[in-house]
Amino acid sequence: MGIHWYIISAVLVMLLQRFIFRRFVMRKVSYSRSFNVQSCFEGDSVEMVERLVNDKLIPVPWLRVESILHTGLKFQSDANFDVSSGQFLQNHRSLFSLTGKKQLTRRHSVHAAQRGCYRVTSASLTFGDLFGMFSAWRSVPLQVELLVYPQPVDRELLQLPSRSWQGDIAVRRWIAEDPFVISGVRAYRSGDSLKMINWNATARTGNLQVHRRDYTADYRLTVLLNVEDHAGMWDAVNDTSMIEHGIRLAAGILQYATEQGLETGFACNGHELDVPGKVMKVERGGGSEHLTYLYEQLAKLVIFRTLPFHTMLEQLEAEWDEPGDLVIISAFMSEGIQSMMARLRERGHAVDWLPIAERGAEAV
C-alpha cells in the first residue's frame, strides 16, 4: 500500500501545483524592454535591456519571451537568448526563471547595421508550471523605439559641388542688407523707403539722408533626394542599397552645410514612416537641433516612391519665393528632371546634380 500512497500523493501534488501556477504564476509579474540610447548612427553598438519583475512569493518556474524586429539590428545569441533571422525580420526568444520577490535584468549587445526606425510594440510571454503539465501565453504591450541615423559620407569621399555655398564663398554671394544693423547714413536714393529717412541727419545737411544698413550673409541650401533607382520605374524601388548610399550622401552634405552656418532644408519623393502617401519635406533651418531633426527624418525615411521626382520639383518650385542653392541627389538624369533644373535656374536658383555612385558622388 505504501507505493500506492506515494503515487497518489505525487499526483495530488502535481495537480495542486498545476492549479496554483495556472492561477497565480503571472500575477504581479511585469516585463519591460528598452535600449540604453534613443538614437545612434549606423555602425554603432548599443544595448537592449530586458527587465522581468516577480513581485510575489510564488516563483515563476519558466517564462519564454518572444518578439519580432527587423534584421537591421544584429544581436548576439547567448545561453538564455536565441535569434532566428530571416531576410527582413528576426524572432527573439528569451528564457527566464524567477524565484519569489525577484527582479532580473539582462543586457544584450546590439549592432546597428542599418539605418532605420526600429520599434517593438508587443512581446509574447509563454509560461507554465514545474512539470510542464500546462502552458499559456499572453501579449504584453511595449513602447520601444530606436532611431538609427544614416552614417554621413566621409568628408574626404564627398566631392561637393564647387558652388558658392561652400565656406567663405557663400558670404560673397548671398549678401543682403540686414534691417537691424545700422552702420551710418547715406544720401537718399530713388526707391528708398520713407521709414529709412534719418531726420536728424537730413536737418543737419539740408538734404534727405537715410540710414545705411550693414550687410549680412544669407545662406540657403536645400538637398533634394530622388529615391527612384532608374528612369521610368514604378512605385517599388529595386536597388535599395543604392538609395541608402544616396541617403548617406544627403546626410553628409547637410552635416557639412550646417557646420558652415548655412540654413539647410531637405525634400525627398519617399515618405516618412508614419506619414505614407506624402513626400518628405523639411523646411530650412539652422543649428545643431535642426540637424538632429534632419537625421531623425532620414532615419524614418521609407524608400518608396510617392511622386515622380520631376513632379515633386514642380510642386516645390511653386513654394519657393526666394532663390537658393539646390543640390539634387539622383541615380540618373531624365528629360523631366533636366527640364525642371532649367526652370529653377531661370528663377534664380543655383542647381547642382550629384549622381549616386558606389564610391561617392561627383558633381556635374
Side-chain angles (χ1 to χ4, degrees), residues 14-38:
M14 293 175 64
L15 291 176
L16 179 61
Q17 68 86 34
R18 179 179 183 274
F19 171 79
I20 292 174
F21 284 117
R22 185 170 188 174
R23 186 161 185 175
F24 301 106
V25 68
M26 290 303 290
R27 289 190 180 182
K28 296 185 179 182
V29 172
S30 61
Y31 173 82
S32 64
R33 180 183 299 191
S34 63
F35 289 98
N36 65 328
V37 295
Q38 294 181 337

Side-chain angles (χ1 to χ4, degrees), residues 67 69 71 73-78 81-86 89-94 108:
S67 61
L69 255 178
T71 54
L73 297 181
K74 304 298 183 183
F75 290 79
Q76 295 180 356
S77 299
D78 55 39
F81 185 74
D82 186 44
V83 180
S84 297
S85 183
L89 298 174
Q90 53 188 329
N91 182 51
H92 307 151
R93 291 184 297 274
S94 296
H108 307 283

Side-chain angles (χ1 to χ4, degrees), residues 9 45 68 72 87 90 92 96 109 122 147 149 160 163 190 202 208 219 231 245 252 259 267 283 318 337 339 354:
S9 299
S45 293
I68 301 294
Q87 183 177 2
Q90 53 188 329
H92 307 151
F96 297 88
S109 178
S122 65
L147 289 176
Y149 302 152
L160 297 172
R163 302 296 303 188
S190 177
T202 297
L208 277 177
Y219 321 136
H245 183 68
E259 291 173 354
E283 299 296 336
I337 297 176
S339 175
L354 269 67

Side-chain angles (χ1 to χ4, degrees), residues 284-296:
R284 287 192 296 257
S288 59
E289 291 186 2
H290 180 70
L291 180 60
T292 298
Y293 179 69
L294 286 167
Y295 284 153
E296 292 174 354

